[in-house]
Amino acid sequence: MTDWTDIGALTDIPERGARVVKTHLGCVAVFRTVSDEVFAIDDACPHKGGPLSEGIVHGRSVTCPLHNMVLRLDTGLAQGADEGAVSTYAVRVEKGRIMLDTTRLRRGQVA
């Protein structure tokens, strides 16, 4: 079962930008790509906890602003020689609104 929660308008996030959804279990970074794809991942880099929401979005990836670790937005996996991963969350756009599946967040299943 999914629990879709409206977290804002697509236009609230600039192209190649991000916004943070704060939860009682931690922060989730919601990204918008230049082609209006939307992804949601943990906001903490697996390397040293850098704020991924402040990173550089390129294609379907984000580069951590602290140590340049590159993570895929669709899988949460580190790219290149880096190792590690972050959790990803289901997200979709309906009528210009961003909907986040908060089922795992409510159950306390955030990494």
Side-chain angles (χ1 to χ4, degrees):
M1 182 174 180
T2 56
D3 186 10
W4 296 102
T5 301
D6 185 327
I7 59 169
L10 178 63
T11 55
D12 290 341
I13 303 174
E15 289 181 0
R16 292 178 295 209
R19 293 294 182 261
V20 177
V21 176
K22 294 182 180 180
T23 77
H24 66 285
L25 298 171
C27 293
V28 174
V30 180
F31 296 88
R32 177 182 175 193
T33 67
V34 72
S35 59
D36 286 339
E37 290 180 288
V38 178
F39 299 95
I41 63 175
D42 289 333
D43 191 31
C45 177
H47 177 234
K48 298 244 180 178
L52 294 174
S53 58
E54 296 176 20
I56 298 169
V57 177
H58 44 100
R60 295 177 125 208
S61 299
V62 62
T63 299
C64 177
L66 297 184
H67 300 100
N68 296 325
M69 180 181 230
V70 178
L71 295 147
R72 292 273 313 242
L73 294 171
D74 55 348
T75 64
L77 298 174
Q79 300 298 288
D82 292 322
E83 293 182 8
V86 293
S87 292
T88 61
Y89 303 92
V91 65
R92 66 183 187 200
V93 178
E94 286 183 5
K95 298 179 183 175
R97 303 294 298 178
I98 300 170
M99 307 297 288
L100 176 67
D101 181 3
T102 56
T103 306
R104 286 178 42 216
L105 296 170
R106 293 184 195 280
R107 291 184 185 159
Q109 297 175 342
V110 176

